[in-house]
């Protein structure tokens, strides 16, 4: 009897391919919803860095202002004074829409989708596989979730880091694809291919603990909600709520590393354009010290509100979509198994 149950469970359980399909669909929905919030967050974080001498805004593509360095006059470019700083999240939304158009809130969406779908598919599939493996070897489910989450995120973040850098550059200061290509080529020529992993250190410092905290807290909150509402299985509402709560907690704890990552990545190409030999600060902790010196301790938490506004629904939408997708495939596999029997 027990062998029959195990065989049936194996056949009705979803495959890694189905896990990847479920996570990819969730990534698509989440990216479309939270990209405007991510754009605002990056703009707020990027403006905390003082402008380099000689830098101004050049309006050159008919839609958005490009932040760049003016080395000399150019009759083909229209120079204009830098606009006022964003006073907050709501002000950033208003100014971006007013000055750049609604479409600018989805700037960087193509590389976001190119990055999010494979990264999420790799991440969630690896997490589920590692978690199931660790649960069989450990008595503590929460600890297994923590380890699996950290390990899966380390691998996926390393693979996707170059695309993350490109997305951040497109969102922090609007660039045409031609300008972005020149910027990347200049960085690779001067610093080598490893420059494409610029910001990898603070990204790992942010994403690995975020993932570990997220899955640990998600498991705790999910179990608590199931017990509170007398549910034997995790419902869509419980997944949504647990994802929002656990994502918010992890976002607050890891925000300083997100600020450092954004600052390091938006610097790509600036010194090359200035033709400066000045050495960039490479240490994460030195950058943190610089941020605190310039903007105080609050500078490490720049963009907190838009990050929370983004992370809470993003985690909720992603995990609930993923669980819904897995439930769909389990039902599909179960129906196929019944037809076979």
């Amino acid at each position: 009897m027990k062998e029959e149950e195990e065989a049936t469970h194996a056949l009705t359980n979803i495959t890694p391919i189905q896990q990847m399909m479920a996570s990819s669909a969730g990534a698509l929905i989440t990216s479309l919803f939270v990209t405007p919030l991510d754009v605002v967050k990056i703009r707020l974080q990027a403006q905390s860095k003082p402008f380099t001498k000689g830098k101004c805004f050049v309006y050159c593509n008919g839609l958005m202002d490009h932040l760049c360095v003016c080395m000399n006059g150019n009759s083909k470019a229209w120079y204009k004074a830098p606009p006022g700083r964003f006073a907050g999240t709501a002000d950033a939304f208003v100014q971006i829409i007013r000055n750049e158009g609604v479409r600018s809130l989805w700037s960087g969406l193509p590389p976001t989708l190119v990055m999010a779908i494979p990264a999420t598919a790799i991440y969630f599939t690896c997490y589920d596989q590692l978690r199931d493996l660790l649960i069989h070897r450990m008595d503590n489910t929460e600890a297994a979730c923590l380890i699996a989450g950290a390990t899966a995120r380390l691998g996926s973040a390393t693979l996707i880091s170059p695309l993350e850098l490109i997305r951040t550059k497109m969102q922090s200061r609007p660039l045409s694809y031609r300008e972005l290509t020149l910027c990347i080529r200049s960085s690779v020529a001067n610093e080598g291919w490893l420059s494409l992993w610029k910001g990898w250190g603070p990204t790992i410092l942010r994403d690995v603990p975020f993932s570990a905290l997220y899955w640990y807290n998600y498991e705790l909150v999910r179990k608590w909600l199931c017990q509170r509402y007398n549910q034997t299985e995790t419902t869509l509402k419980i997944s949504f709520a647990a994802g929002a709560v656990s994502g918010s907690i992890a976002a607050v704890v890891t925000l300083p590393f997100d600020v450092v990552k954004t600052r390091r990545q938006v610097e790509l190409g600036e010194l090359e354009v200035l033709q400066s030999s000045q050495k960039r600060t490479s240490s994460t902790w030195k950058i943190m010290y610089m941020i605190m010196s310039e903007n105080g301790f609050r500078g490490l938490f720049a963009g907190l509100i838009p990050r929370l506004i983004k992370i809470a629904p993003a985690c909720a939408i992603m995990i609930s979509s993923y669980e819904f997708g897995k439930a769909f495939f389990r039902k599909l596999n179960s129906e196929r198994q019944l037809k076979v029997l």
Side-chain angles (χ1 to χ4, degrees):
M1 182 69 179
K2 184 177 180 181
E3 291 180 356
E4 275 185 21
E5 290 179 355
E6 290 179 351
T8 301
H9 175 72
L11 289 170
T12 57
N13 197 17
I14 63 174
T15 65
I17 298 297
Q18 291 173 332
Q19 288 176 335
M20 294 177 72
M21 292 174 64
S23 58
S24 296
L28 175 61
I29 296 171
T30 305
S31 296
L32 290 172
F33 182 79
V34 304
T35 292
L37 301 172
D38 201 27
V39 170
V40 170
K41 174 185 72 72
I42 290 177
R43 294 290 185 89
L44 287 170
Q45 291 178 348
Q47 78 172 2
S48 65
K49 181 185 176 185
F51 289 133
T52 305
K53 185 178 180 180
K55 184 178 293 183
C56 67
F57 283 81
V58 181
Y59 191 86
C60 59
N61 71 345
L63 177 62
M64 293 180 278
D65 292 337
H66 290 213
L67 185 61
C68 64
V69 178
C70 301
M71 301 302 296
N72 48 49
N74 188 339
S75 59
K76 295 181 180 179
W78 173 30
Y79 296 87
K80 56 187 295 187
R85 291 168 61 85
F86 301 134
T89 303
D91 182 56
F93 270 108
V94 172
Q95 286 199 47
I96 291 172
I97 293 174
R98 180 185 300 164
N99 298 325
E100 305 173 17
V102 176
R103 290 178 59 185
S104 64
L105 290 175
W106 279 269
S107 59
L109 181 60
T112 294
L113 294 177
V114 171
M115 177 187 68
I117 292 177
T120 305
I122 294 169
Y123 171 52
F124 274 79
T125 304
C126 289
Y127 167 75
D128 272 353
Q129 298 294 323
L130 286 171
R131 182 200 59 193
D132 293 343
L133 180 64
L134 291 172
I135 286 176
H136 285 296
R137 299 187 177 185
M138 302 172 65
D139 295 331
N140 192 323
T141 301
E142 290 79 11
C145 292
L146 187 148
I147 296 171
T151 304
R153 177 60 76 182
L154 177 62
S156 63
T158 301
L159 289 174
I160 304 299
S161 185
L163 290 175
E164 169 82 4
L165 183 144
I166 292 171
R167 180 180 67 97
T168 301
K169 290 300 299 180
M170 292 184 69
Q171 291 178 338
S172 65
R173 54 185 181 95
L175 296 171
S176 67
Y177 285 100
R178 181 175 177 275
E179 292 168 323
L180 182 64
T181 302
L182 292 175
C183 189
I184 298 296
R185 285 180 178 176
S186 175
S187 181
V188 171
N190 293 330
E191 302 180 32
W193 286 102
L194 288 179
S195 64
L196 295 180
W197 276 265
K198 188 178 302 296
W200 178 84
T203 297
I204 294 300
L205 289 173
R206 178 199 65 175
D207 286 357
V208 171
F210 179 94
S211 183
L213 289 171
Y214 172 77
W215 288 111
Y216 180 82
N217 288 315
Y218 174 77
E219 189 65 23
L220 290 177
V221 175
R222 183 190 66 79
K223 286 184 177 180
W224 180 78
L225 289 174
C226 286
Q227 292 174 358
R228 181 178 177 82
Y229 295 101
N230 297 319
Q231 296 287 337
T232 56
E233 294 184 358
T234 304
T235 64
L236 196 63
K237 290 181 179 180
I238 289 176
S239 293
F240 191 93
V245 172
S246 57
S248 298
I249 294 171
V252 173
V253 174
T254 59
L255 180 59
F257 297 108
D258 184 57
V259 175
V260 173
K261 177 194 72 73
T262 298
R263 170 167 290 203
R264 294 185 68 178
Q265 290 184 333
V266 299
E267 286 180 347
L268 178 64
E270 286 185 357
L271 295 181
E272 285 82 354
V273 175
L274 279 170
Q275 297 180 353
S276 171
S277 59
Q278 180 183 354
K279 186 179 180 180
R280 292 193 183 113
T281 303
S282 58
S283 170
T284 297
W285 310 110
K286 286 182 179 179
I287 294 176
M288 282 188 172
Y289 178 77
M290 289 172 56
I291 292 172
M292 292 179 65
S293 299
E294 295 166 1
N295 305 292
F297 184 75
R298 292 179 60 182
L300 293 175
F301 291 87
L304 174 61
I305 300 303
R307 179 162 166 80
L308 284 176
I309 294 174
K310 169 200 168 184
I311 290 296
C315 290
I317 293 170
M318 183 62 228
I319 193 64
S320 55
S321 299
Y322 183 54
E323 293 294 344
F324 178 82
K326 291 198 297 183
F328 169 80
F329 283 117
R330 286 195 187 100
K331 182 179 179 181
L332 182 65
N333 293 343
S334 179
E335 291 175 352
R336 288 177 178 174
Q337 174 62 20
L338 289 175
K339 289 181 180 179
V340 172
L341 296 175

